[in-house]
Amino acid sequence: MFTYYAVAAAALLRVAAATDVFAHFMVQNAYAYDVNMWKTDIASAQQIGIDGFALNWIPPDCVNGLGWTVNRIADAYTAAEAMGFKLIYSFDMSYSTCNVFWNQTFMGDMISKYASSPATYRWANNILVSTYGGDQVTEYGNEFFQGLKSNLQGSSAITLVPGLTTFSMEAASPGGDAASAASSMLSQYTAADGYLNWQAWPLNVQQNISTSTDQAFQSALKGSGRSGPYMMTVSPWQYKDLNDGNPLDSWVAYSDTLFVDRFAQLTGDNAIKPDIIELLTWNDFCESHYLRDLPSETDTSAKDYVELGDMGAYVWGQNHAPWRIIAKYYIEWMKTGSAPAITMDQVVYWHRIHPKGAICSGGSSTAIRNNMMPADAVFAWALVSQDSTISVSVGSNQYWTFAAGPSGPTMFSVPFPVDIDGVVPEVAITRNGQTVQMGNSSQALSSGCSWQNFNPVVNLVGPGING
């Protein structure tokens, strides 16, 4: 009556560590930030082993009123310099409609502006520059990238690591040829020194993501003699609903155990070893894969205030902070090459708040692509310092128990019962007949809904990040 899997003992073997971990940061969600707010976010990121932020921003003149982003980046550098944190530009080149597109002069000026900053991340002495896109908008492409590189010399020379989504999706598509996609990327983008594989989620398939695309791009880069890094992406979830009538703008990816599955590929004796890891994301609230604490919903004077509009319907109340505990455990493992000693008793657990078949009064509801893929279940990841029993109750599915121990984390799930209305999942850690830790979810389950919400709420039993 249950599903579970435990991290095998063999996975505790020492492995080579991936060197640096970055988190993708949406600058557009930092309108209210000041230097202290940046410091707060940086401290939270450093707590779990993140070395830097990849700053995603669109051209300030692409959309009217975005000139402030230049000032927020200045604040980010001030904070990062004070805290020993690193920053990478991730130029967003996915906007096909812009008042003013990126141009090489402005990009070069912004790169050179912080060339001497200790917060600027370098690869082989060059400034590392990344992108989101640049392959599907006619204003960009290989010639544009080559011009940018040619304009930057000396201390401002760059190592270009673009995230070209065409090739990432081609490689990850069902029946796709990852090796061919990687080869095509290299032949068409001779300006690329490395590659950021943006596809951190299964692409329209109900199966766990594999490392085949990562291995293909990594192998192709090494075989070509390119000097830049392979950047592998890791993400906990993917759900977005623009509710605009376009089926391409509302989707969910098969993400039930994605975070744990993806990190497991980076640890153990068969671990893939990318040069850099980029977590998707720190604060992209509208795609449901944020690791940051939720910002203030109503206090417009708060320094982390974000206006989410209709998309707030599936963000507000959906805390993700405890996922950082999972990230911290695996990041430490990757960096040291050894599984961390477990000193606390914690269970991180997550669930959606409506069954996938619910028809809601708002949002795209049944028009959401892949809406039947997620399992209606509560998923739990246990990390305990001694042999313990984990008890999970979800309504009439009472007291389902699972064994966990100090050799490593254990993952398991409990399905939603038939009658879910008002059900609040409960989790407890017991040992020697005594309850060590226990708690209830912050959100109840319901079959009725005003907006179909495939964004999970994440909870924690035990000490740590409670958000």
Side-chain angles (χ1 to χ4, degrees):
M1 296 177 62
F2 62 88
T3 61
Y4 88 100
Y5 60 90
V7 174
L12 300 179
L13 296 176
R14 186 173 181 82
V15 296
T19 303
D20 291 307
V21 179
F22 282 77
H24 200 76
F25 188 104
M26 305 295 288
V27 176
Q28 280 180 267
N29 287 337
Y31 172 78
Y33 275 48
D34 59 11
V35 171
N36 286 333
M37 191 72 253
W38 278 107
K39 287 182 177 180
T40 297
D41 276 39
I42 288 170
S44 294
Q46 288 177 320
Q47 181 192 26
I48 66 172
I50 292 173
D51 301 292
F53 286 150
L55 301 176
N56 175 284
W57 57 312
I58 68 173
D61 296 319
C62 175
V63 179
N64 292 333
L66 286 180
W68 56 264
T69 55
V70 173
N71 294 329
R72 292 298 84 74
I73 286 171
D75 291 341
Y77 267 93
T78 298
E81 289 170 359
M83 301 186 70
F85 201 62
K86 297 296 183 181
L87 299 173
I88 293 172
Y89 282 140
S90 178
F91 293 106
D92 195 325
M93 310 178 86
S94 65
Y95 284 69
S96 58
T97 302
C98 251
N99 293 332
V100 179
F101 287 88
W102 287 115
N103 67 80
Q104 296 164 3
T105 300
F106 177 72
M107 294 170 75
D109 288 346
M110 288 301 298
I111 292 168
S112 298
K113 182 177 182 179
Y114 299 104
S116 61
S117 170
T120 294
Y121 183 80
R122 289 180 175 270
W123 182 267
N125 296 322
N126 288 347
I127 298 171
L128 192 145
V129 170
S130 189
T131 75
Y132 172 65
D135 52 330
Q136 297 191 59
V137 178
T138 56
E139 282 74 11
Y140 308 124
N142 185 67
E143 184 176 350
F144 181 94
F145 287 136
Q146 189 59 62
L148 175 66
K149 291 179 66 176
S150 298
N151 291 342
L152 294 167
Q153 303 294 330
S155 63
S156 295
I158 68 172
T159 291
L160 178 65
V161 188
L164 307 174
T165 55
T166 298
F167 303 98
S168 293
M169 289 189 293
E170 179 185 342
S173 295
D177 187 333
S180 176
S183 177
S184 295
M185 185 277 294
L186 289 170
S187 64
Q188 295 179 46
Y189 284 83
T190 56
D193 300 300
Y195 189 68
L196 168 66
N197 178 15
W198 188 259
Q199 197 61 40
W201 313 270
L203 186 61
N204 300 321
V205 291
Q206 193 171 15
Q207 62 189 42
N208 293 331
I209 194 170
S210 76
T211 60
S212 59
T213 59
D214 300 292
Q215 291 169 333
F217 284 112
Q218 189 176 41
S219 176
L221 284 171
K222 289 181 178 178
S224 69
R226 303 290 173 98
S227 61
Y230 173 66
M231 296 178 66
M232 176 177 170
T233 51
V234 177
S235 184
W237 206 265
Q238 174 66 265
Y239 162 61
K240 186 175 186 176
D241 183 12
L242 294 185
N243 193 33
D244 60 2
N246 184 349
L248 297 178
D249 289 338
S250 299
W251 71 87
V252 62
Y254 184 61
S255 308
D256 293 347
T257 60
L258 176 63
F259 211 27
V260 175
D261 294 336
R262 194 67 164 151
F263 269 125
Q265 295 167 350
L266 289 155
T267 52
D269 53 348
N270 295 316
I272 187 171
K273 300 175 180 64
D275 298 302
I276 298 172
I277 295 160
E278 185 164 336
L279 300 177
L280 306 181
T281 60
W282 184 252
N283 66 335
D284 192 344
F285 304 108
C286 293
E287 289 197 358
S288 307
H289 42 58
Y290 48 92
L291 295 175
R292 187 196 188 277
D293 294 352
L294 283 172
S296 175
E297 179 180 356
T298 58
D299 182 3
T300 58
S301 66
K303 290 303 180 181
D304 64 348
Y305 179 75
V306 179
E307 176 57 60
L308 297 178
D310 286 347
M311 286 179 280
Y314 60 83
V315 174
W316 301 126
Q318 305 303 100
N319 179 34
H320 287 185
W323 265 337
R324 299 206 299 269
I325 292 172
I326 296 177
K328 181 177 182 178
Y329 177 82
Y330 287 108
I331 289 171
E332 182 178 343
W333 187 344
M334 289 185 295
K335 289 190 173 187
T336 65
S338 300
I342 302 172
T343 59
M344 294 185 289
D345 299 312
Q346 301 167 306
V347 178
V348 179
Y349 61 106
W350 57 96
H351 60 87
R352 292 176 292 101
I353 57 176
H354 312 302
K356 59 190 175 185
I359 299 176
C360 308
S361 56
S364 299
S365 198
T366 57
I368 295 170
R369 189 166 74 253
N370 304 327
N371 65 358
M372 297 311 292
M373 287 186 180
D376 288 337
V378 175
F379 301 91
W381 181 86
L383 202 66
V384 294
S385 59
Q386 301 177 48
D387 289 338
S388 307
T389 297
I390 314 300
S391 173
V392 181
S393 294
V394 187
S396 59
N397 290 337
Q398 289 278 307
Y399 307 117
W400 287 32
T401 58
F402 310 87
S407 61
T410 303
M411 180 82 210
F412 48 88
S413 65
V414 176
F416 290 176
V418 174
D419 183 5
I420 69 167
D421 288 326
V423 167
V424 178
E426 304 172 353
V427 176
I429 305 171
T430 60
R431 185 181 302 135
N432 300 323
Q434 301 294 317
T435 299
V436 177
Q437 302 282 353
M438 66 179 300
N440 298 335
S441 173
S442 61
Q443 296 271 3
L445 306 179
S446 174
S447 58
C449 46
S450 59
W451 195 285
Q452 176 59 287
N453 194 343
F454 282 89
N455 180 21
V457 60
V458 187
N459 294 277
L460 171 67
V461 167
I465 303 166
N466 286 289

